[in-house]
Structures are given as structure tokens and as C-alpha cells.
């Protein structure tokens, strides 16, 4: 007996946990926290022993991801039901009894299943019964979710890897063998560097999150989905570097293809790409805008005409070892701030060889983008980046901290926030720095002229400095940085924005 129910029963993580507790099966992919689009239920009998049963369901047009969760009873009678999937044209995978849930999309799929186009039509869930006793009647329930374009996507880990507000450290710009990342093979030959080596290096660095951003590629997502359960203490944020003739930009969040062919019929204007990014639910960041373009670096500098910076969430202010000077992205970023925009500064190693000396840029994690968020999840990290709750650790240490809080008339703001301050209002700024004893703090931005630092020196490993100034009633931005004893930039902050 088979029944098909649409929009039935509320699904959630509770069922997944119960399945795991009752049957000892770890789900491969947590189901969405909403009602399933299709529910297939039924009962097998002893007659199904060593046979296959196909459960048809209709996949509508416009679906970008299918997620299946499967459970059955009768294990105490040694009933075993294996699981597979067919689309209208081909077999899409067989996980047997080793997974209680799986997902697949055009760009990635749970191991055992094939990524590829999700063609509308009649699909079939395939049940195999290696063992059902003659008098057994195991009941099964299959819940199926359809995600359409632009639906929120939690990435490769549906649950937070850790909770509690703190600073999380990561690298947002890394390449592997899925584009131009290379390293030496075991025999010493230069080969495309395996994705595993990148995650291994990030983990050894002590990073909390990474985004692998291969050029115009989505093939890395399959490898990352396979590796994510092993690197279960490292948040892997889907990313790719949209590489055009007029600049490069990282897209974080979705795995669906976004056309990069700026100037072609597929993407005539940058606005077309940004529109597709917005529709996909992604976040975009301009990469290494201070680099030159041309034969030295093909399309590396940002020259895209008619850029609407309202669609740009972040700018890579520091790329690898380009910290300050003519090739740095800091000047480009500051010019946008001076135009009245609020865009977050991030950093990325732009690493192309995961086996590089970890003490020298562009090793993975140099620089490190440090994000203040309430949990280690894709949604929380990207939201905090959008809010500007970020500083950059140039050397990629494990412990340096920069915390800036400004207060006025009972309102407090941290980096990235706006602080209302009418003319004449006293603004108090507290700066906490960890790990830069012997250095000093410095101010930047058009708000810096309002403040005077009595003593910017840092004499302790964990020190808080306080200064005050009077707002002038204009819109300003004020940034705090930390420099070494030699004057080199070691921590780059994001601004606090003053508004009347």
C-alpha cells in the first residue's frame, strides 16, 4: 500500500534525532525545518523480500534542490530497506542502508548520489529489500523537499558547528585543483592540488571557517560536500570567484551556477550578474581591486563599468601579502567609504597551493578574516560580514583580537554599526587589543580628525584604551587599526559610522 500526501506533517530536526537514536543511523543531510512538499508512506510485506519497489513522485519545474529523508520500522524483526533514486532519464544514486537522508542539486550531491540537472517529471524513490521476514510488515515514510531558486541554503552543514557569540576566524579566498590551485605530488610533480589538502591546511591553521573560491567553477562543491562530515569542526561556506575581464569578485552562499561572462549575451552588464546573485540569495565581494589589469594580471583590478556598489557587500581590502601600498585594496575600499557607502572590508589569502609554508603569505589564513557572530554557521557568518562585524588579522594568528565599541547618549555601536550622534554629542570609544604588546592603535577615516589619542601605545598583552571626542553633526566614518612597533599594519578594523 502506498499513499502520497502533499504539504503534510511538520518536519524538523526532532525526527532526524529520533531516527538516529532508535536505529543507529546518522543522517547524511539534515532536512529543512519546514513541511515537506511530498510524503510517501506505505508498508512492505514478506512478499517484498529480495525485491525492489519504486515509489513515483512528481518533480515540478523550477526546482534547484531535492532533499529526501527516509525512515522505516521493523528493525527488531531484522527488516532491512535500502534506498535509491531515479529521475525520468537515469539512475541518480544508491545509498543502500547507509544513509537516512540525502540531497542533490545540479552542482552538488550527497556522496552515493549524482549531481546534475533536476528535470521536471516523474521521479522514483527505489526501495530494495534484502531482508523481510515472511510475517513482518515494516512501515516506511519518505519525506521530500523541493527548494527553488533563491531559497535559503544552509550550505554543507545544516546545523551550527558551534554556538555562543565570539570571534570566528576564517579565510574567504582559496583555490584548489578545481581551478588553478596546484601543489607537488608525492613524486614531486606539479599537479592540481586536491581539495582535501586545502581543508587540511585550514584545519591545521586553527581556522573556524573557509570558503573555497575556484574561478567560475562549481565542481568543487561536490568534493566539499563529501569532505564536510569529516572536517566537522570547520565550517565550509560555498564560494566561487566570478572571474571577468573587468574584475574578480567572490560569491558566497549558493551553489547554483551564476553566469560570469560579463560583456557577452549571457551577462551584458554587471547589473545582470548582480541581479542573478541577489536572486540566488548570495553575497558578493570585490577581490583585490588594487591590482593592475592587463598582461601582468588578467582582469585582476576592478574596472567593471557602471558598478552599483549598493549590490556589493564587501571588498577584499587585503589580498595575501598585499597589505599596504599601491597594490593594496585598502585605498579602493576607503574611496567607497568616502562616497558614503557602507561596505565591509574582508581579507583572503588567495592561496593557490595548500602546501605553502604556513608562516609566509599567501599561506592559507594569511590574512585571516575575523568575524563576530553568535554561532558558527553559514547564515550567521555571512550576516555578520554584511553587518561589518569584522576585523582582519594580517599575520593570521590564532589569538589577536581587536574590539571597538563607541557609545553616545546611551547607545552603543561596534564595528560596522551606525551610531547616532548630533553635533556636540560626546562620543566615547573603547578599544580592546589582544596580542600586540609593544604596538599602538591608529585612527583612519574622515571621523579621525575629530579625535586625539593621548597615548596610543599598547604595553600589555590584553589592553583597553579609551578616548573621547565631540561629534560635529556630519556623517562620518571612524576606523581603528593596530600597528606593530615597527609601524606595520597588523590588525585592520572596520568603521563605526557616525550619523546625525
Amino acid at each position: 500500500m502506498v499513499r502520497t500526501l502533499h504539504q503534510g506533517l511538520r518536519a524538523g530536526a526532532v525526527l532526524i534525532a529520533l531516527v538516529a537514536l532508535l536505529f543507529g543511523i546518522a543522517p547524511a543531510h539534515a532536512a529543512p525545518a519546514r513541511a515537506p512538499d511530498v510524503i510517501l508512506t506505505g508498508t512492505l510485506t514478506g512478499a517484498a523480500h529480495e525485491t525492489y519497489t519504486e515509489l513515483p513522485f512528481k518533480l515540478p519545474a523550477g526546482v534547484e534542490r531535492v532533499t529526501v529523508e527516509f525512515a522505516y520500522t521493523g528493525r527488531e524483526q531484522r527488516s532491512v530497506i535500502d534506498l535509491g533514486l531515479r529521475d525520468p532519464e537515469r539512475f541518480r544514486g544508491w545509498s543502500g542502508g547507509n544513509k537516512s537522508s540525502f540531497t542533490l542539486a545540479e552542482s552538488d550531491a550527497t556522496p552515493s548520489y549524482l549531481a546534475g540537472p533536476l528535470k521536471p517529471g516523474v521521479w522514483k524513490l527505489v526501495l530494495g529489500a534484502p531482508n523481510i521476514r515472511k510475517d513482518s510488515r515494516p512501515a516506511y515514510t519518505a519525506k521530500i523537499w523541493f527548494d527553488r531558486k533563491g531559497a535559503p541554503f544552509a550550505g554543507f552543514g545544516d546545523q551550527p558547528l558551534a554556538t555562543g557569540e565570539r570571534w570566528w576566524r576564517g579565510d574567504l579566498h582559496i583555490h584548489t585543483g578545481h581551478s588553478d590551485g596546484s601543489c607537488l605530488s608525492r613524486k614531486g610533480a606539479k599537479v592540481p592540488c586536491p581539495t582535501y589538502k586545502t581543508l587540511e591546511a585550514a584545519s591545521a591553521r586553527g581556522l573556524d571557517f573557509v570558503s573555497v573560491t575556484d574561478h567560475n567553477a562549481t565542481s568543487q562543491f561536490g568534493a566539499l560536500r563529501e569532505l564536510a562530515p569529516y572536517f566537522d569542526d570547520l565550517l565550509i561556506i560555498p564560494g566561487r570567484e566570478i572571474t571577468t575581464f573587468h574584475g574578480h569578485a567572490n560569491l558566497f552562499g549558493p551553489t547554483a551556477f551564476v553566469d560570469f561572462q560579463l560583456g557577452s549575451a549571457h551577462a551584458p552588464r554587471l547589473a545582470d550578474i548582480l541581479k542573478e546573485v541577489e536572486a540566488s540569495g548570495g553575497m558578493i565581494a570585490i577581490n583585490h581591486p588594487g591590482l593592475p589589469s592587463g598582461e601582468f594580471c588578467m582582469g585582476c583590478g576592478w574596472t567593471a563599468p557602471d558598478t552599483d556598489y549598493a549590490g556589493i557587500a564587501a571588498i577584499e581590502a587585503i589580498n595575501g601579502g598585499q597589505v599596504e601600498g599601491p597594490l593594496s585594496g585598502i585605498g579602493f575600499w576607503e574611496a567607497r567609504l568616502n562616497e558614503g557607502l557602507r561596505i565591509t572590508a574582508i581579507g583572503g589569502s588567495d592561496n593557490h597551493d595548500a602546501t605553502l609554508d604556513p608562516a609566509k603569505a599567501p599561506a592559507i589564513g594569511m590574512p585571516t578574516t575575523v568575524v563576530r557572530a553568535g554561532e558558527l554557521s553559514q547564515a550567521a557568518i555571512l550576516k555578520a560580514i554584511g553587518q561589518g562585524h569584522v576585523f582582519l588579522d594580517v599575520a593570521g594568528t590564532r589569538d589577536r583580537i581587536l574590539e571597538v565599541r563607541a557609545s553616545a547618549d546611551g547607545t552603543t555601536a561596534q564595528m560596522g554599526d551606525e551610531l547616532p550622534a548630533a553635533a556636540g554629542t560626546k562620543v566615547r570609544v573603547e578599544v580592546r587589543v589582544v596580542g600586540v604588546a609593544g604596538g599602538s592603535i591608529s585612527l583612519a577615516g574622515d571621523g579621525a580628525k575629530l579625535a586625539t589619542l593621548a597615548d596610543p601605545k599598547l604595553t600589555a598583552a590584553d589592553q583597553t584604551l579609551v578616548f573621547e571626542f565631540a561629534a560635529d553633526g556630519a556623517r562620518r566614518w571612524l576606523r581603528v587599526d593596530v600597528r606593530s612597533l615597527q609601524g606595520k599594519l597588523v590588525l585592520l578594523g572596520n568603521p563605526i559610522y557616525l550619523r546625525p
Side-chain angles (χ1 to χ4, degrees), residues 196-416:
Y196 178 89
K197 298 299 291 182
T198 287
L199 301 188
E200 187 178 55
S203 182
R205 185 107 201 169
L207 297 182
D208 301 302
F209 64 89
V210 294
S211 187
V212 173
T213 55
D214 283 308
H215 296 281
N216 297 329
T218 58
S219 59
Q220 68 272 21
F221 298 143
L224 292 170
R225 182 170 289 284
E226 180 178 3
L227 292 168
Y230 179 78
F231 290 93
D232 55 0
D233 56 352
L234 179 67
L235 176 67
I236 304 170
I237 299 173
R240 90 288 303 262
E241 187 168 14
I242 296 177
T243 306
T244 80
F245 302 139
H246 303 286
H248 302 181
N250 276 345
L251 171 57
F252 306 117
T255 60
F257 177 73
V258 172
D259 209 302
F260 61 90
Q261 295 173 275
L262 181 60
S264 74
H266 301 286
R269 302 167 302 138
L270 179 65
D272 298 304
I273 295 178
L274 294 181
K275 184 178 180 180
E276 196 169 348
V277 167
E278 183 179 10
S280 72
M283 170 182 285
I284 199 162
I286 293 175
N287 288 343
H288 42 67
L291 293 182
S293 292
E295 292 184 1
F296 174 78
C297 192
M298 297 294 191
C300 291
W302 190 258
T303 61
D306 302 320
T307 301
D308 180 5
Y309 289 99
I312 305 297
I315 291 173
E316 190 179 64
I318 300 178
N319 172 271
Q322 304 297 338
V323 181
E324 292 185 287
L327 300 183
S328 169
I330 294 176
F332 182 93
W333 169 56
E334 290 181 333
R336 306 289 80 75
L337 300 179
N338 289 333
E339 293 169 357
L341 295 160
R342 290 175 59 186
I343 300 179
T344 303
I346 60 174
S349 67
D350 205 354
N351 176 272
H352 285 68
D353 182 351
T355 65
L356 287 178
D357 181 350
K360 297 179 180 179
I364 289 174
M366 293 185 71
T368 294
T369 299
V370 192
V371 180
R372 183 83 177 182
E375 64 182 29
L376 186 57
S377 68
Q378 176 175 305
I381 293 297
L382 293 183
K383 179 181 178 181
I385 290 173
Q387 294 171 326
H389 300 166
V390 174
F391 72 87
L392 306 186
D393 184 340
V394 174
T397 72
R398 292 174 182 250
D399 55 1
R400 284 180 176 168
I401 296 292
L402 171 61
E403 293 179 339
V404 183
R405 294 191 179 273
S407 57
D409 288 339
T411 302
T412 301
Q414 62 174 307
M415 286 184 288

Side-chain angles (χ1 to χ4, degrees), residues 28-30 64-68 101-105 108-111 113-115 145 147 153 155 158 225:
H29 181 88
E64 287 199 338
R65 181 172 296 278
V66 175
T67 301
V68 176
S101 61
F102 62 86
T103 185
L104 69 162
D108 64 283
T110 300
Y113 293 86
L114 298 175
W145 288 262
D147 288 317
F153 177 54
D158 298 88
R225 182 170 289 284

Side-chain angles (χ1 to χ4, degrees), residues 32-52:
R34 58 178 173 83
D37 296 282
V38 174
I39 300 178
L40 305 174
T41 63
T43 302
L44 298 182
T45 67
H49 177 72
E50 294 185 349
T51 67
Y52 297 96

Side-chain angles (χ1 to χ4, degrees), residues 43-47 74 77-79 132-138:
T43 302
L44 298 182
T45 67
Q77 285 86 40
R78 302 291 184 179
S79 295
I132 297 181
R133 292 176 180 173
K134 187 175 182 179
D135 57 350
S136 295
R137 294 179 60 85

